Amino acid sequence: MPSPPAGEALEATVRFAIESDVPTILALIHDLAAYEHASHLVHATESSLLNTLSFPTSSPSRPGYARTLLIFPPTPPTNNEKAEQPECAGLALYFHNYSTWRAAPGIYLEDLFIRPAYRGRGFGKRLLGELAREVKNIGGERLEWSVLRWNEPSLRFYEGVGARKLSGWVGMRVDDLEGTGEGEEGGEEGGELLRLAGWGKGVVWE
């Protein structure tokens, strides 16, 4: 059975990101990309994040596609009412998915990142715990994510909290639907799908 987060992490503040947090989210995305040696693949901007993420104040007409949890270390005791909140220690960016076999919703964790200065203190485990709570809140049945094969520290961490490898599955992706050759792996892998998208009359809503 995985051990609970350390005391500091239990006292940390976890909250949903709001619009004014977007610069912090973007900075963390760049930090994560640098860690994964993929900074050149980041196309996100503050504007694109504002237009595509979901926030507590998002309107029904533009609900966003993914949510972000931010975690902050406990605030040191002080008599100064104007003391600034500690630096954000990390994030968990996720969205809801669905299992056809179980006929149940779930959560897909797109990115979990803890800044190096805050690692080993239980903050990542705390974020996973909050996501597990969210799965239960929506009546879901699973929490899943992907890990780079070379990222042994993360693999050990996730196995330590009870996650298992899905050795029978192969990830598939098309991230260059315009066929420009600017996908993560290069090449024009989306060209065929772009041609298919031009067939037929599209989806009919009745």
Side-chain angles (χ1 to χ4, degrees):
M1 178 179 295
S3 59
E8 183 183 15
L10 292 176
E11 296 298 324
T13 297
V14 176
R15 64 170 175 79
F16 285 105
I18 58 177
E19 286 89 339
S20 61
D21 292 314
V22 163
T24 296
I25 295 172
L26 183 58
L28 288 165
I29 289 172
H30 279 287
D31 288 347
L32 171 60
Y35 173 74
E36 294 184 350
H37 315 295
S39 294
H40 62 290
L41 297 176
V42 177
H43 297 165
T45 64
E46 290 186 15
S47 177
S48 63
L49 291 173
L50 279 169
N51 289 329
T52 54
L53 291 180
S54 178
F55 304 99
T57 57
S58 295
S59 67
S61 62
R62 199 172 72 178
Y65 301 99
R67 300 178 181 181
T68 312
L69 292 180
L70 301 178
I71 186 166
F72 297 84
T75 303
T78 178
N79 293 325
N80 184 0
E81 296 181 357
K82 297 182 180 180
E84 295 184 1
Q85 186 180 45
E87 175 189 44
C88 179
L91 63 70
L93 196 151
Y94 71 96
F95 53 87
H96 294 134
N97 60 8
Y98 189 81
S99 168
T100 52
W101 288 8
R102 300 188 181 197
I107 282 179
Y108 187 87
L109 173 60
E110 177 67 18
D111 282 320
L112 174 69
F113 181 72
I114 302 297
R115 284 177 161 143
Y118 298 98
R119 292 176 189 166
R121 294 157 65 175
F123 293 114
K125 190 178 293 186
R126 171 71 189 280
L127 285 173
L128 286 175
E130 296 298 340
L131 288 174
R133 189 200 308 269
E134 180 67 10
V135 172
K136 290 184 177 180
N137 288 342
I138 65 174
E141 294 195 11
R142 69 186 181 198
L143 169 63
E144 57 187 314
W145 59 92
S146 300
V147 186
L148 290 167
R149 294 183 185 275
W150 59 259
N151 195 346
E152 289 294 335
S154 291
L155 289 169
R156 290 193 297 270
F157 168 71
Y158 291 129
E159 290 176 338
V161 298
R164 59 185 176 85
K165 296 179 182 177
L166 300 178
S167 57
W169 292 82
V170 176
M172 303 290 289
R173 174 191 298 169
V174 173
D175 63 357
D176 182 21
L177 285 173
E178 299 299 329
T180 62
E182 296 181 356
E184 291 189 15
E185 302 297 332
E188 299 182 0
E189 74 272 19
E192 182 62 26
L193 281 182
L194 183 63
R195 287 187 285 274
L196 292 176
W199 296 356
K201 300 180 180 180
V203 177
V204 177
W205 291 87
E206 296 181 342

